[in-house]
Amino acid sequence: MPNLRRIVTFAIPFVVAAGVLAQTKSAAPTIASARAFMDKAEAELMKLSILGARAEWVDETYITDDTDILTAAENDRLIARTTQLVDQAKQFAALDLPADLRRKILLMKLSLTLPAPHDAKLREELTQVASSLGGSYGKGKYCPDGGAVPAPCLGIEELDEKMATSRDPKELAAMWAGWSKIGIPMRERYARFVQLSNQGAREIGFADTGALWRSGYDMTPEQFSAELERLWTQVDPLYRELHAYVRHKLVAKYGADADRKDGMIPAHLLGNMWSQEWGNVYDLVAPPAAPTTYDVGAILKERKTTPRQMVEYGENFFGSLGFEKLPDTFWQRSMLSRPADRDVVCHASAWDIDFDRDVRLKVCLHQTSDDFVTTHHELGHVYYDLSYRKQPFLFRGGANDGFHEAIGDAIALSITPEYLKQIGLIQTIPPAAADLPILLKTAMDKIAFLPFGLLVDKWRWEVFSGQVKPANYNKAWWTLREKYQGIAPAVDRSETDFDPGAKYHIPANTPYARYFLARIYQFQFYRAMCRASGYTGPLNRCSFYGSKAAGDKFKAMLEQGQSRPWPETLKLMTGEDHVDASAMVEYFQPLLTWLKQQNAAANEKPGWTVGADPMKH
Ligand code: X8Z
Ligand code: ZN
């Protein structure tokens, strides 16, 4: 993953609570006065959010000390005002409010991803700790010991590339251990950060910051945790078969370096710093007799496809479903490749600048198949933003944050060989024997991610709730990585280390359960659109490109934004009112059957033994 300083959220960015409120004296509250209050609050928050977004856009596309300061000032204004309004809204708590007003008050609170104490000094301390944690990650580097001639230091973009392509276990372990060190100086600040933001959460009525985050899903925090467990039991069998198959192949490639008695896979051998997506080592696990298929990256390179043309492929897909063309300002204002002359945040993101038609992408595209998929992912955010722009301000967001992450991915699942032929990127459709290898490659990204997507916030919830104390931060992290991923550290760990800090979303305080949910939702959305398009064949071969019927269903869901509880929005499109992994399981069913055969033939028993010390390599 490229180095990123911030991730843009799609309603109100990075909000922190501000100072004590001066209550306005007024007559007894009524439903009418609640509505008037909310109308004013929304207008004001929108204005502040737009200014914040403009400052942040300039900051991330032209990083200087000045643009950092201007952005922080705009954010602070928005944060302070949001907190005041949350407090003021308490005057309406005893009224029997209409559902939309009640929902808006809740959404206003939930926009405080980093709740802060009312005490101005403590709040300032928290915001400073928060930004210094983000800064530590942004500046993180691994400087290899180069002997007499010092080797150049590597940032996470270069490390990503090397982790993906190196097949030298010693070099991989050194990069892994080197990058992990960036967490060490964050440990103490993170503990303070947890204390202060928990205080902020309690002051606005939540048990802790984790409980606040888990309250964004139209159910209690406890119900949400239980839902995730239920989903995990649905997909765990798939993960375990994939894990066993990949382990076997890695042992064949690396011998003793990959072979552990407990059956876990060492973290540095999967082509990704966090072992979160494994597609980069597909070449090591490809079935020997697999027919060679197409390489979208090679085709884009050969044709000298420009970044704009790559985005136009995505625009064309959405257009085929009945969506409007992107506004001219999208093309004028987006950043599609890395500028030569200044520092920018290259991590792909989509921006909703004015909550109307000023939408943009900030990406540094290369002619690779990964970036081809990324453009579809990012456009999913953009079309969602455009679709809900007629909603009241506080409803301009995803039905929940997992929906927002899943839209573009659901489209990208339709990038099948048939689709690529239809748009002229390939001339011949690979033989049916290529289906399985294509599924395996997809699984290396989609299925491999699931346990990681789940455990990042499991760790944070345990930390915020106080169940895990600072003295056990790292042990708790590795206990979860062992339990869910079956991954062991590349080198021994201790409580001096702080490995969660080496994953962007921890120092940046970006909730992570959204990505787990999105992996599941995207298959549900995809199956619903395949059905709407009249498709009846095997799910993994479906493309709903060009289907207006699928587009209409999709649009109806997107236009609702977050105005209704998400199960209602889901039902509108899929007919289902539960998040459910059965579509994902159906998609990968042929692969599951095949993996079971392969593992049985190789005498590979899925699973691993949980040891006494998860920090031992
Ligand atoms: O951070 C991201 C996105 C931001 S919307 C690029 N992702 C997670 C990660 O990189 O860890 C997408 C997949 C999971
Ligand atoms: Zn995204």
Side-chain angles (χ1 to χ4, degrees), residues 303-314:
R303 296 190 176 191
K304 300 191 170 41
T305 308
T306 62
R308 180 177 173 131
Q309 286 168 328
M310 283 174 70
V311 179
E312 281 169 347
Y313 278 115

Side-chain angles (χ1 to χ4, degrees), residues 1 4 7-8 10 276-277 347-349 377-378 381 405 449 452 503-505 512 515 519:
M1 190 181 73
L4 61 150
I7 282 185
V8 178
F10 297 92
Q276 67 180 67
E277 279 158 331
H347 188 81
S349 55
H377 173 92
E378 296 303 333
H381 290 308
E405 294 301 334
F449 178 77
F452 188 76
K503 174 67 192 165
Y504 172 79
H505 301 68
Y512 210 82
Y515 301 113
R519 291 288 146 134

Side-chain angles (χ1 to χ4, degrees), residues 426-443:
I426 60 172
Q427 266 65 55
T428 39
I429 293 176
D435 275 22
L436 220 126
I438 293 172
L439 261 186
L440 176 59
K441 171 91 165 62
T442 310

Side-chain angles (χ1 to χ4, degrees), residues 319-394:
S320 85
L321 302 179
F323 286 86
E324 280 175 32
K325 289 231 145 224
L326 292 165
D328 289 344
T329 51
F330 171 87
W331 298 107
Q332 290 151 5
R333 298 174 187 171
S334 286
M335 185 191 95
L336 299 184
S337 42
R338 180 191 275 284
D341 56 346
R342 59 186 200 264
D343 278 336
V344 300
V345 181
C346 257
H347 188 81
S349 55
W351 295 65
D352 189 1
I353 299 281
D354 67 349
F355 301 91
D356 191 12
R357 287 169 59 81
D358 189 351
V359 285
R360 309 177 192 173
L361 291 192
K362 183 181 62 56
V363 282
C364 299
L365 292 177
H366 298 274
Q367 294 146 324
T368 64
S369 58
D370 278 358
D371 276 2
F372 192 64
V373 171
T374 299
T375 56
H376 291 75
H377 173 92
E378 296 303 333
L379 284 180
H381 290 308
V382 163
Y383 281 98
Y384 210 166
D385 297 337
L386 287 171
S387 302
Y388 55 56
R389 70 181 195 277
K390 303 269 164 58
Q391 289 287 345
F393 175 68
L394 280 169

Side-chain angles (χ1 to χ4, degrees), residues 7-25:
I7 282 185
V8 178
T9 54
F10 297 92
I12 301 170
F14 190 63
V15 179
V16 188
V20 184
L21 161 82
Q23 278 279 356
T24 39
K25 288 221 164 64

